[in-house]
Amino acid sequence: MSDKKDYVIYQGEDICGIRRASEAAARVRDQLPAMVRPGMSTKEIDNIAAALIHSIGGVSAFLGYRGYPGQICISVNDEVVHGIGRPDRFVNNGDLVSLDIGVNIGGYIGDTAVSFVLGGTNDPDTLRLLNNTRRALEEGMKAAVAGNYVKNISAAVEKVAKSAKLGIVREYCGHGCGKTLHDPPEIPNYVSFNRGPQLRPGMVLAIEPMLNLGTSKVITESDGWTVRTSDGKLSAHFEHMVLITESKPEILTWLK
Ligand code: MF3
Ligand code: CO
Ligand code: CO
């Protein structure tokens, strides 16, 4: 039996530090998509992200994490998460690009992700995927209130995913986040056997549905990182960090 605490409560200056790092991550997330141009390599995108992160006084929270070699994660089309920037992988109009950004400022971490189609799209299935993955995150965040359990967040995400007939990735979850990238608890995007800890003011949670147009099954590439759908269909990923409060959750990765 592990005696590891199943959640972390932050207060005072720690909350201020997490707010700052989250805001920095949110800024990069919001600025980067407009800087991605058709024909760019994912390595170039990674370089631009690094420059943005450094210009606001941060460093990547991902680089070196368990040996991860990139500054951010760039996952294209059927890639779900953890895509590494590569000089020989190019993005073009019509590609679904997911950017996951982690910023460390002074030992505090912000983690946030967005998906979009380069140049836009009218494809109904792609729009169903993007709109409902975003909505699943929103509904999950609404359930992130003191007194609820982690399971209530999972149930809210799962309900949206199921009603939109999207595959839910089960191998990767949301998580606590603050002084380390991955604090307990895990936040599955489906209801699991255990209700998880009760939500309490001071908990900081990264909620991050990863939903697929087809199967929920994923495989990891031979690079040891890149996760893709096993049927080659599209995947989307949105992520926000929230602070549990006495009332409504504070969305730390919304820009003020
Ligand atoms: N950002 C991912 C998450 O949302 C984790 C990335 S781990 C890395 O939890 F090693 F790939 F950076
Ligand atoms: Co992330
Ligand atoms: Co995360």
Side-chain angles (χ1 to χ4, degrees):
M1 260 285 262
S2 162
D3 58 0
K4 210 173 147 216
K5 217 169 177 342
D6 62 359
Y7 61 90
V8 179
I9 299 293
Y10 288 107
Q11 43 197 343
E13 67 182 47
D14 285 345
I15 302 267
C16 296
I18 296 166
R19 274 202 189 102
R20 187 153 165 244
S22 306
E23 231 175 281
R27 189 152 294 132
V28 175
R29 180 204 62 219
D30 285 358
Q31 289 179 359
L32 194 52
M35 300 169 87
V36 175
R37 298 284 167 208
M40 242 180 208
S41 73
T42 57
K43 178 68 183 172
E44 282 177 86
I45 299 170
D46 201 62
N47 290 341
I48 294 169
L52 284 175
I53 291 169
H54 297 152
S55 74
I56 44 186
V59 294
S60 167
F62 299 169
L63 181 65
Y65 178 82
R66 297 185 175 192
Y68 184 73
Q71 299 274 349
I72 65 168
C73 300
I74 307 149
S75 309
V76 183
N77 294 333
D78 60 330
E79 295 168 0
V80 179
V81 286
H82 303 166
I84 304 164
R86 284 167 41 171
D88 60 345
R89 176 83 158 100
F90 302 94
V91 295
N92 280 299
N93 278 333
D95 282 336
L96 194 166
V97 180
S98 298
L99 303 172
D100 191 345
I101 289 130
V103 176
N104 181 324
I105 299 188
Y108 296 104
I109 295 178
D111 182 16
T112 183
V114 67
S115 294
F116 61 97
V117 173
L118 191 56
T121 184
N122 294 317
D123 179 65
D125 282 331
T126 308
L127 291 172
R128 171 166 59 90
L129 173 66
L130 285 173
N131 292 337
N132 287 288
T133 309
R134 195 185 299 106
R135 209 161 65 79
L137 171 55
E138 286 163 5
E139 293 302 314
M141 293 194 295
K142 282 187 202 161
V145 293
N148 265 355
Y149 288 81
V150 164
K151 181 180 190 160
N152 296 102
I153 299 175
S154 302
V157 169
E158 183 176 49
K159 188 174 170 200
V160 174
K162 282 196 162 159
S163 66
K165 299 200 165 13
L166 298 171
I168 301 173
V169 175
R170 301 177 73 90
E171 285 82 351
Y172 301 89
C173 297
H175 50 93
C177 188
K179 286 194 194 176
T180 57
L181 176 56
H182 293 149
D183 276 345
E186 280 200 337
I187 306 171
N189 292 309
Y190 57 91
V191 175
S192 68
F193 60 93
N194 140 357
R195 68 183 179 177
Q198 192 167 29
L199 305 183
R200 299 181 44 191
M203 287 171 72
V204 177
L205 306 176
I207 305 175
E208 49 178 316
M210 289 150 265
L211 303 182
N212 303 339
L213 260 187
T215 180
S216 61
K217 290 210 172 64
V218 298
I219 50 175
T220 303
E221 299 239 301
S222 56
D223 65 13
W225 283 101
T226 311
V227 177
R228 63 169 73 243
T229 58
S230 66
D231 61 4
K233 293 189 179 170
L234 295 177
S235 184
H237 179 209
F238 289 84
E239 175 176 26
H240 273 306
M241 277 168 62
V242 301
L243 169 67
I244 307 299
T245 74
E246 303 283 353
S247 55
K248 276 204 211 169
E250 178 181 333
I251 319 288
L252 297 166
T253 43
W254 269 353
L255 282 183
K256 316 253 146 31

